[in-house]
Amino acid sequence: MKNLLVKAHTAATLHTAALLARLDEAKTEIKERGDRGDGPVPTVIIVVAMIVGALLIAGGLAALYAKANDKLGSVNLGG
C-alpha cells in the first residue's frame, strides 16, 4: 500500500510539473503573438445572419399557422 501511494504521489508531481511548464509556454506564446481572437466584423456578420435566419423561420411558421388557421376556420365542430 505504501508503495502505491508513493507511485501516485510521484505521478501527480510529474503531471503538475508538466502542466506548469506547458502553461509557461502558452503564456510566452501569447505574449509573442498577441491576441488570436476573431475580428469584430466577421462576428457582426455571423450574428446578423443568425438573426435574419431566425426571423425567416419565425415568419415561415407564422405564415403556415395563418394558412392552417384559415382552413380550420371553416370546419364545423358541431357546436
Side-chain angles (χ1 to χ4, degrees):
M1 180 72 172
K2 188 174 185 181
N3 193 18
L4 182 63
L5 290 176
V6 171
K7 286 182 182 180
H9 183 268
T10 304
T13 303
L14 290 175
H15 287 300
T16 303
L19 286 173
L20 289 175
R22 178 62 187 122
L23 184 60
D24 287 339
E25 289 175 15
K27 286 180 183 178
T28 304
E29 184 179 344
I30 289 170
K31 285 180 185 176
E32 291 173 357
R33 291 189 348 171
D35 185 22
R36 296 183 336 192
D38 290 340
V41 174
T43 303
V44 169
I45 291 171
I46 291 170
V47 169
V48 169
M50 288 176 22
I51 292 171
V52 169
L55 289 174
L56 287 173
I57 291 171
L61 290 174
L64 287 175
Y65 176 75
K67 188 175 182 181
N69 199 19
D70 285 343
K71 289 182 180 179
L72 290 176
S74 62
V75 173
N76 184 3
L77 298 177

